[in-house]
Amino acid sequence: MEDRYDLEELVTNSPDMYFFDMDEDGAPELCIADTAGTFVCKYDPETDGYVSWYDNITSGGCILGSRKIGYTHNDDEEYLNQMDKDGQIETRIEYAALMHPQRYIVSIPGYMERLQKGQIPESMKRKLYYDGQNYFIRVTKEQYKDLIKGLHDARKQAEEHTVPLSYFIEDIENEEYQSKYNLNYKHKHQ
């Protein structure tokens, strides 16, 4: 931890820290999500050190489980990223609850590829919204709630995998250690 992160910042920000097998190789990765971003560190036995499997300095991220990372932006946009085994985004779904005018839209992954292959009927094309990057379909408020429920459930389930910072730094409560790193740590977890 000391090699990769500023301990004072970690303690001050109280990040969400998890163990998840993000790349599904049978070994868990250390995952950190806080206001500074979302980071996944993978242990590399060849170097006996940690390498970055994924990092994004956008706030609002959360780890949702193996190969899944979510983001919330301004409480009206949420994203679900399905990652590949190397930590690259494979598929992204964007959910947006727009207020002026009030409407609910959900992106359609892989739509551009299907559109280019001629697999989308003309009647469907007219019902879609394109923001310059993604195609979205309008849904009702009830449909939106149903579609986004899985994302919200995954966030709750992920909380069960959080671990306190004191798990990683055994002597974090030691006064000499706190003084060395200018920490003002107050133990929250038992």
Side-chain angles (χ1 to χ4, degrees):
M1 292 291 288
E2 293 176 25
D3 293 340
R4 190 152 181 90
Y5 299 103
D6 179 314
L7 293 182
E8 185 175 357
E9 188 174 314
L10 274 180
V11 173
T12 303
N13 290 339
S14 285
D16 292 330
M17 302 176 84
Y18 315 83
F19 279 124
F20 274 114
D21 183 5
M22 292 299 288
D23 58 1
E24 298 180 322
D25 68 350
E29 279 70 47
L30 170 62
C31 308
I32 301 171
D34 69 6
T35 56
T38 306
F39 311 97
V40 177
C41 301
K42 180 177 178 58
Y43 177 70
D44 180 11
E46 290 180 21
T47 63
D48 191 31
Y50 287 88
V51 296
S52 176
W53 183 80
Y54 175 84
D55 66 40
N56 186 320
I57 58 170
T58 304
S59 63
C62 65
I63 306 299
L64 299 173
S66 297
R67 295 176 54 189
K68 292 174 183 59
I69 296 175
Y71 283 91
T72 299
H73 180 68
N74 295 333
D75 293 328
D76 60 357
E77 291 179 53
E78 296 189 60
Y79 303 85
L80 170 62
N81 294 331
Q82 175 69 43
M83 316 302 286
D84 68 13
K85 65 181 179 72
D86 297 318
Q88 301 299 311
I89 296 174
E90 202 170 54
T91 305
R92 170 179 276 169
I93 300 173
E94 181 178 347
Y95 305 86
L98 307 171
M99 295 301 128
H100 302 289
Q102 186 172 21
R103 63 191 187 280
Y104 300 88
I105 58 176
V106 178
S107 68
I108 304 173
Y111 189 84
M112 184 62 81
E113 294 85 16
R114 288 181 279 172
L115 183 66
Q116 290 171 342
K117 291 179 182 176
Q119 298 171 335
I120 306 296
E122 283 297 320
S123 60
M124 182 71 167
K125 291 178 194 176
R126 290 189 295 270
K127 296 178 183 178
L128 298 174
Y129 165 69
Y130 181 65
D131 72 351
Q133 294 179 7
N134 296 305
Y135 282 93
F136 293 84
I137 189 164
R138 288 184 67 160
V139 295
T140 66
K141 184 176 183 177
E142 292 75 27
Q143 290 169 328
Y144 184 83
K145 286 180 181 179
D146 281 346
L147 289 168
I148 206 164
K149 184 180 182 322
L151 178 60
H152 292 171
D153 289 347
R155 284 180 188 212
K156 288 178 187 163
Q157 291 172 354
E159 290 173 6
E160 298 171 14
H161 295 270
T162 60
V163 292
L165 185 58
S166 58
Y167 176 90
F168 301 98
I169 306 169
E170 293 176 10
D171 54 355
I172 195 168
E173 294 181 70
N174 177 292
E175 286 183 30
E176 184 178 321
Y177 188 87
Q178 289 184 31
S179 175
K180 176 181 175 185
Y181 287 101
N182 193 26
L183 302 179
N184 199 5
Y185 179 71
K186 292 180 178 53
H187 189 58
K188 295 186 215 174
H189 303 280
Q190 295 297 330

mmCIF file of all heavy atoms in Angstrom, residues 85-118:
data_model
loop_
_atom_site.group_PDB
_atom_site.id
_atom_site.type_symbol
_atom_site.label_atom_id
_atom_site.label_comp_id
_atom_site.label_asym_id
_atom_site.label_seq_id
_atom_site.Cartn_x
_atom_site.Cartn_y
_atom_site.Cartn_z
ATOM 1 N N LYS A 85 -10.860 -9.518 -19.635
ATOM 2 C CA LYS A 85 -9.932 -10.090 -18.645
ATOM 3 C C LYS A 85 -8.686 -9.229 -18.425
ATOM 4 O O LYS A 85 -7.977 -9.394 -17.446
ATOM 5 C CB LYS A 85 -9.537 -11.513 -19.030
ATOM 6 C CG LYS A 85 -8.753 -11.627 -20.308
ATOM 7 C CD LYS A 85 -8.422 -13.068 -20.629
ATOM 8 C CE LYS A 85 -7.669 -13.197 -21.914
ATOM 9 N NZ LYS A 85 -6.312 -12.750 -21.868
ATOM 10 N N ASP A 86 -8.429 -8.264 -19.339
ATOM 11 C CA ASP A 86 -7.257 -7.398 -19.222
ATOM 12 C C ASP A 86 -7.578 -6.015 -18.650
ATOM 13 O O ASP A 86 -6.728 -5.123 -18.654
ATOM 14 C CB ASP A 86 -6.582 -7.244 -20.584
ATOM 15 C CG ASP A 86 -6.063 -8.577 -21.112
ATOM 16 O OD1 ASP A 86 -5.490 -9.338 -20.316
ATOM 17 O OD2 ASP A 86 -6.251 -8.852 -22.311
ATOM 18 N N GLY A 87 -8.820 -5.812 -18.190
ATOM 19 C CA GLY A 87 -9.182 -4.540 -17.576
ATOM 20 C C GLY A 87 -9.611 -3.459 -18.549
ATOM 21 O O GLY A 87 -9.665 -2.285 -18.192
ATOM 22 N N GLN A 88 -9.937 -3.828 -19.775
ATOM 23 C CA GLN A 88 -10.427 -2.871 -20.768
ATOM 24 C C GLN A 88 -11.952 -2.972 -20.838
ATOM 25 O O GLN A 88 -12.514 -4.052 -20.681
ATOM 26 C CB GLN A 88 -9.828 -3.166 -22.141
ATOM 27 C CG GLN A 88 -8.318 -3.116 -22.174
ATOM 28 C CD GLN A 88 -7.777 -1.750 -21.793
ATOM 29 O OE1 GLN A 88 -8.220 -0.735 -22.303
ATOM 30 N NE2 GLN A 88 -6.827 -1.728 -20.878
ATOM 31 N N ILE A 89 -12.601 -1.838 -21.102
ATOM 32 C CA ILE A 89 -14.059 -1.844 -21.191
ATOM 33 C C ILE A 89 -14.484 -2.621 -22.432
ATOM 34 O O ILE A 89 -14.086 -2.305 -23.549
ATOM 35 C CB ILE A 89 -14.624 -0.416 -21.232
ATOM 36 C CG1 ILE A 89 -14.306 0.313 -19.935
ATOM 37 C CG2 ILE A 89 -16.142 -0.441 -21.475
ATOM 38 C CD1 ILE A 89 -14.683 1.782 -19.917
ATOM 39 N N GLU A 90 -15.295 -3.637 -22.203
ATOM 40 C CA GLU A 90 -15.806 -4.486 -23.274
ATOM 41 C C GLU A 90 -17.167 -3.953 -23.744
ATOM 42 O O GLU A 90 -17.410 -3.826 -24.941
ATOM 43 C CB GLU A 90 -15.952 -5.903 -22.710
ATOM 44 C CG GLU A 90 -15.968 -7.012 -23.676
ATOM 45 C CD GLU A 90 -15.880 -8.348 -22.940
ATOM 46 O OE1 GLU A 90 -16.708 -8.615 -22.037
ATOM 47 O OE2 GLU A 90 -14.959 -9.105 -23.251
ATOM 48 N N THR A 91 -18.038 -3.654 -22.773
ATOM 49 C CA THR A 91 -19.375 -3.147 -23.057
ATOM 50 C C THR A 91 -19.737 -2.112 -22.004
ATOM 51 O O THR A 91 -19.433 -2.300 -20.829
ATOM 52 C CB THR A 91 -20.414 -4.289 -22.995
ATOM 53 O OG1 THR A 91 -20.022 -5.335 -23.874
ATOM 54 C CG2 THR A 91 -21.796 -3.804 -23.377
ATOM 55 N N ARG A 92 -20.386 -1.036 -22.431
ATOM 56 C CA ARG A 92 -20.848 -0.012 -21.489
ATOM 57 C C ARG A 92 -22.330 0.231 -21.731
ATOM 58 O O ARG A 92 -22.758 0.397 -22.868
ATOM 59 C CB ARG A 92 -20.086 1.287 -21.675
ATOM 60 C CG ARG A 92 -20.717 2.448 -20.882
ATOM 61 C CD ARG A 92 -19.976 3.713 -21.043
ATOM 62 N NE ARG A 92 -18.889 3.648 -20.059
ATOM 63 C CZ ARG A 92 -17.873 4.487 -20.030
ATOM 64 N NH1 ARG A 92 -17.766 5.438 -20.911
ATOM 65 N NH2 ARG A 92 -16.946 4.373 -19.115
ATOM 66 N N ILE A 93 -23.084 0.259 -20.624
ATOM 67 C CA ILE A 93 -24.491 0.634 -20.687
ATOM 68 C C ILE A 93 -24.638 1.903 -19.869
ATOM 69 O O ILE A 93 -24.176 1.972 -18.732
ATOM 70 C CB ILE A 93 -25.405 -0.471 -20.127
ATOM 71 C CG1 ILE A 93 -25.232 -1.761 -20.924
ATOM 72 C CG2 ILE A 93 -26.870 -0.016 -20.155
ATOM 73 C CD1 ILE A 93 -25.962 -2.952 -20.351
ATOM 74 N N GLU A 94 -25.280 2.896 -20.455
ATOM 75 C CA GLU A 94 -25.509 4.157 -19.755
ATOM 76 C C GLU A 94 -27.001 4.298 -19.481
ATOM 77 O O GLU A 94 -27.833 4.073 -20.356
ATOM 78 C CB GLU A 94 -25.037 5.328 -20.608
ATOM 79 C CG GLU A 94 -25.217 6.662 -19.947
ATOM 80 C CD GLU A 94 -24.710 7.821 -20.785
ATOM 81 O OE1 GLU A 94 -23.992 7.582 -21.768
ATOM 82 O OE2 GLU A 94 -25.039 8.969 -20.455
ATOM 83 N N TYR A 95 -27.311 4.664 -18.234
ATOM 84 C CA TYR A 95 -28.687 4.913 -17.812
ATOM 85 C C TYR A 95 -28.775 6.401 -17.475
ATOM 86 O O TYR A 95 -27.949 6.910 -16.737
ATOM 87 C CB TYR A 95 -29.027 4.128 -16.538
ATOM 88 C CG TYR A 95 -28.785 2.638 -16.646
ATOM 89 C CD1 TYR A 95 -27.519 2.100 -16.382
ATOM 90 C CD2 TYR A 95 -29.812 1.780 -16.972
ATOM 91 C CE1 TYR A 95 -27.305 0.733 -16.454
ATOM 92 C CE2 TYR A 95 -29.602 0.407 -17.040
ATOM 93 C CZ TYR A 95 -28.349 -0.100 -16.782
ATOM 94 O OH TYR A 95 -28.134 -1.454 -16.857
ATOM 95 N N ALA A 96 -29.792 7.081 -17.999
ATOM 96 C CA ALA A 96 -29.916 8.506 -17.704
ATOM 97 C C ALA A 96 -31.373 8.858 -17.398
ATOM 98 O O ALA A 96 -32.275 8.514 -18.162
ATOM 99 C CB ALA A 96 -29.410 9.344 -18.872
ATOM 100 N N ALA A 97 -31.560 9.523 -16.270
ATOM 101 C CA ALA A 97 -32.864 10.052 -15.886
ATOM 102 C C ALA A 97 -32.765 11.565 -16.044
ATOM 103 O O ALA A 97 -32.200 12.248 -15.197
ATOM 104 C CB ALA A 97 -33.187 9.667 -14.446
ATOM 105 N N LEU A 98 -33.258 12.063 -17.151
ATOM 106 C CA LEU A 98 -33.129 13.478 -17.478
ATOM 107 C C LEU A 98 -34.375 14.226 -17.002
ATOM 108 O O LEU A 98 -35.495 13.750 -17.154
ATOM 109 C CB LEU A 98 -32.934 13.645 -18.979
ATOM 110 C CG LEU A 98 -31.782 12.795 -19.555
ATOM 111 C CD1 LEU A 98 -31.790 12.832 -21.065
ATOM 112 C CD2 LEU A 98 -30.454 13.259 -19.001
ATOM 113 N N MET A 99 -34.176 15.396 -16.430
ATOM 114 C CA MET A 99 -35.288 16.096 -15.798
ATOM 115 C C MET A 99 -35.944 17.182 -16.647
ATOM 116 O O MET A 99 -37.095 17.493 -16.461
ATOM 117 C CB MET A 99 -34.832 16.712 -14.465
ATOM 118 C CG MET A 99 -34.452 15.668 -13.439
ATOM 119 S SD MET A 99 -35.846 14.581 -13.087
ATOM 120 C CE MET A 99 -35.110 12.981 -13.326
ATOM 121 N N HIS A 100 -35.212 17.811 -17.554
ATOM 122 C CA HIS A 100 -35.791 18.921 -18.328
ATOM 123 C C HIS A 100 -35.626 18.694 -19.815
ATOM 124 O O HIS A 100 -34.561 19.001 -20.354
ATOM 125 C CB HIS A 100 -35.137 20.243 -17.925
ATOM 126 C CG HIS A 100 -35.279 20.538 -16.472
ATOM 127 N ND1 HIS A 100 -36.468 20.879 -15.897
ATOM 128 C CD2 HIS A 100 -34.378 20.521 -15.462
ATOM 129 C CE1 HIS A 100 -36.292 21.076 -14.593
ATOM 130 N NE2 HIS A 100 -35.024 20.858 -14.315
ATOM 131 N N PRO A 101 -36.575 18.198 -20.538
ATOM 132 C CA PRO A 101 -37.839 17.651 -20.050
ATOM 133 C C PRO A 101 -37.608 16.264 -19.439
ATOM 134 O O PRO A 101 -36.627 15.594 -19.760
ATOM 135 C CB PRO A 101 -38.696 17.553 -21.300
ATOM 136 C CG PRO A 101 -37.709 17.357 -22.408
ATOM 137 C CD PRO A 101 -36.474 18.111 -21.985
ATOM 138 N N GLN A 102 -38.522 15.854 -18.568
ATOM 139 C CA GLN A 102 -38.344 14.580 -17.865
ATOM 140 C C GLN A 102 -38.481 13.420 -18.851
ATOM 141 O O GLN A 102 -39.490 13.287 -19.548
ATOM 142 C CB GLN A 102 -39.371 14.425 -16.751
ATOM 143 C CG GLN A 102 -39.102 13.194 -15.919
ATOM 144 C CD GLN A 102 -39.989 13.111 -14.695
ATOM 145 O OE1 GLN A 102 -41.036 13.725 -14.641
ATOM 146 N NE2 GLN A 102 -39.548 12.338 -13.727
ATOM 147 N N ARG A 103 -37.397 12.635 -18.916
ATOM 148 C CA ARG A 103 -37.404 11.446 -19.764
ATOM 149 C C ARG A 103 -36.345 10.480 -19.248
ATOM 150 O O ARG A 103 -35.407 10.868 -18.558
ATOM 151 C CB ARG A 103 -37.189 11.794 -21.225
ATOM 152 C CG ARG A 103 -35.865 12.417 -21.549
ATOM 153 C CD ARG A 103 -35.868 12.962 -22.984
ATOM 154 N NE ARG A 103 -34.581 13.426 -23.395
ATOM 155 C CZ ARG A 103 -34.043 14.606 -23.070
ATOM 156 N NH1 ARG A 103 -34.695 15.433 -22.310
ATOM 157 N NH2 ARG A 103 -32.853 14.948 -23.518
ATOM 158 N N TYR A 104 -36.494 9.240 -19.617
ATOM 159 C CA TYR A 104 -35.590 8.186 -19.183
ATOM 160 C C TYR A 104 -35.053 7.493 -20.424
ATOM 161 O O TYR A 104 -35.825 7.106 -21.308
ATOM 162 C CB TYR A 104 -36.330 7.181 -18.287
ATOM 163 C CG TYR A 104 -36.900 7.836 -17.061
ATOM 164 C CD1 TYR A 104 -38.165 8.413 -17.072
ATOM 165 C CD2 TYR A 104 -36.154 7.922 -15.896
ATOM 166 C CE1 TYR A 104 -38.679 9.039 -15.953
ATOM 167 C CE2 TYR A 104 -36.659 8.554 -14.771
ATOM 168 C CZ TYR A 104 -37.923 9.111 -14.800
ATOM 169 O OH TYR A 104 -38.419 9.745 -13.693
ATOM 170 N N ILE A 105 -33.728 7.362 -20.472
ATOM 171 C CA ILE A 105 -33.105 6.731 -21.633
ATOM 172 C C ILE A 105 -32.046 5.728 -21.174
ATOM 173 O O ILE A 105 -31.442 5.881 -20.114
ATOM 174 C CB ILE A 105 -32.479 7.774 -22.594
ATOM 175 C CG1 ILE A 105 -31.432 8.630 -21.878
ATOM 176 C CG2 ILE A 105 -33.563 8.643 -23.224
ATOM 177 C CD1 ILE A 105 -30.703 9.613 -22.793
ATOM 178 N N VAL A 106 -31.844 4.714 -21.994
ATOM 179 C CA VAL A 106 -30.847 3.676 -21.721
ATOM 180 C C VAL A 106 -30.099 3.414 -23.024
ATOM 181 O O VAL A 106 -30.715 3.275 -24.085
ATOM 182 C CB VAL A 106 -31.520 2.380 -21.214
ATOM 183 C CG1 VAL A 106 -30.487 1.288 -20.978
ATOM 184 C CG2 VAL A 106 -32.329 2.638 -19.946
ATOM 185 N N SER A 107 -28.768 3.370 -22.926
ATOM 186 C CA SER A 107 -27.977 3.143 -24.147
ATOM 187 C C SER A 107 -28.116 1.698 -24.608
ATOM 188 O O SER A 107 -28.431 0.805 -23.830
ATOM 189 C CB SER A 107 -26.504 3.483 -23.907
ATOM 190 O OG SER A 107 -25.922 2.566 -23.007
ATOM 191 N N ILE A 108 -27.861 1.519 -25.884
ATOM 192 C CA ILE A 108 -27.958 0.192 -26.489
ATOM 193 C C ILE A 108 -26.550 -0.237 -26.888
ATOM 194 O O ILE A 108 -25.988 0.272 -27.865
ATOM 195 C CB ILE A 108 -28.878 0.213 -27.723
ATOM 196 C CG1 ILE A 108 -30.251 0.750 -27.324
ATOM 197 C CG2 ILE A 108 -28.979 -1.171 -28.338
ATOM 198 C CD1 ILE A 108 -31.178 0.978 -28.481
ATOM 199 N N PRO A 109 -25.933 -1.142 -26.113
ATOM 200 C CA PRO A 109 -24.560 -1.572 -26.429
ATOM 201 C C PRO A 109 -24.478 -2.242 -27.799
ATOM 202 O O PRO A 109 -25.365 -2.990 -28.189
ATOM 203 C CB PRO A 109 -24.227 -2.577 -25.326
ATOM 204 C CG PRO A 109 -25.281 -2.450 -24.307
ATOM 205 C CD PRO A 109 -26.469 -1.822 -24.958
ATOM 206 N N GLY A 110 -23.419 -1.946 -28.510
ATOM 207 C CA GLY A 110 -23.172 -2.586 -29.801
ATOM 208 C C GLY A 110 -24.123 -2.151 -30.894
ATOM 209 O O GLY A 110 -24.180 -2.764 -31.949
ATOM 210 N N TYR A 111 -24.870 -1.091 -30.647
ATOM 211 C CA TYR A 111 -25.866 -0.660 -31.636
ATOM 212 C C TYR A 111 -25.204 -0.216 -32.933
ATOM 213 O O TYR A 111 -25.695 -0.524 -34.015
ATOM 214 C CB TYR A 111 -26.720 0.472 -31.060
ATOM 215 C CG TYR A 111 -27.900 0.814 -31.927
ATOM 216 C CD1 TYR A 111 -29.076 0.095 -31.824
ATOM 217 C CD2 TYR A 111 -27.820 1.826 -32.869
ATOM 218 C CE1 TYR A 111 -30.163 0.384 -32.633
ATOM 219 C CE2 TYR A 111 -28.900 2.131 -33.686
ATOM 220 C CZ TYR A 111 -30.066 1.404 -33.563
ATOM 221 O OH TYR A 111 -31.129 1.696 -34.365
ATOM 222 N N MET A 112 -24.116 0.517 -32.815
ATOM 223 C CA MET A 112 -23.430 1.028 -34.010
ATOM 224 C C MET A 112 -23.023 -0.124 -34.930
ATOM 225 O O MET A 112 -23.223 -0.048 -36.148
ATOM 226 C CB MET A 112 -22.204 1.852 -33.617
ATOM 227 C CG MET A 112 -21.504 2.498 -34.795
ATOM 228 S SD MET A 112 -22.526 3.667 -35.695
ATOM 229 C CE MET A 112 -22.360 5.095 -34.666
ATOM 230 N N GLU A 113 -22.481 -1.197 -34.358
ATOM 231 C CA GLU A 113 -22.064 -2.340 -35.179
ATOM 232 C C GLU A 113 -23.259 -2.966 -35.896
ATOM 233 O O GLU A 113 -23.200 -3.296 -37.072
ATOM 234 C CB GLU A 113 -21.360 -3.408 -34.330
ATOM 235 C CG GLU A 113 -20.038 -2.953 -33.743
ATOM 236 C CD GLU A 113 -20.196 -2.204 -32.430
ATOM 237 O OE1 GLU A 113 -21.266 -2.275 -31.787
ATOM 238 O OE2 GLU A 113 -19.240 -1.504 -32.041
ATOM 239 N N ARG A 114 -24.364 -3.128 -35.164
ATOM 240 C CA ARG A 114 -25.565 -3.728 -35.774
ATOM 241 C C ARG A 114 -26.161 -2.802 -36.831
ATOM 242 O O ARG A 114 -26.644 -3.259 -37.862
ATOM 243 C CB ARG A 114 -26.601 -4.051 -34.688
ATOM 244 C CG ARG A 114 -26.156 -5.246 -33.832
ATOM 245 C CD ARG A 114 -27.166 -5.574 -32.789
ATOM 246 N NE ARG A 114 -26.956 -4.630 -31.677
ATOM 247 C CZ ARG A 114 -27.751 -4.518 -30.643
ATOM 248 N NH1 ARG A 114 -28.821 -5.255 -30.531
ATOM 249 N NH2 ARG A 114 -27.482 -3.662 -29.687
ATOM 250 N N LEU A 115 -26.097 -1.496 -36.576
ATOM 251 C CA LEU A 115 -26.605 -0.517 -37.534
ATOM 252 C C LEU A 115 -25.799 -0.590 -38.835
ATOM 253 O O LEU A 115 -26.363 -0.620 -39.929
ATOM 254 C CB LEU A 115 -26.514 0.883 -36.925
ATOM 255 C CG LEU A 115 -27.051 2.044 -37.738
ATOM 256 C CD1 LEU A 115 -28.556 1.913 -37.907
ATOM 257 C CD2 LEU A 115 -26.716 3.362 -37.069
ATOM 258 N N GLN A 116 -24.474 -0.653 -38.714
ATOM 259 C CA GLN A 116 -23.607 -0.713 -39.891
ATOM 260 C C GLN A 116 -23.799 -1.999 -40.688
ATOM 261 O O GLN A 116 -23.608 -2.018 -41.900
ATOM 262 C CB GLN A 116 -22.145 -0.556 -39.463
ATOM 263 C CG GLN A 116 -21.826 0.849 -38.982
ATOM 264 C CD GLN A 116 -20.443 0.967 -38.344
ATOM 265 O OE1 GLN A 116 -19.821 -0.011 -37.957
ATOM 266 N NE2 GLN A 116 -19.971 2.201 -38.235
ATOM 267 N N LYS A 117 -24.191 -3.069 -40.017
ATOM 268 C CA LYS A 117 -24.417 -4.342 -40.699
ATOM 269 C C LYS A 117 -25.825 -4.440 -41.284
ATOM 270 O O LYS A 117 -26.191 -5.464 -41.843
ATOM 271 C CB LYS A 117 -24.191 -5.507 -39.722
ATOM 272 C CG LYS A 117 -22.746 -5.684 -39.323
ATOM 273 C CD LYS A 117 -22.601 -6.830 -38.344
ATOM 274 C CE LYS A 117 -21.152 -6.964 -37.901
ATOM 275 N NZ LYS A 117 -20.997 -8.006 -36.880
ATOM 276 N N GLY A 118 -26.622 -3.367 -41.111
ATOM 277 C CA GLY A 118 -27.978 -3.373 -41.650
ATOM 278 C C GLY A 118 -28.939 -4.242 -40.869
ATOM 279 O O GLY A 118 -29.951 -4.701 -41.399
#
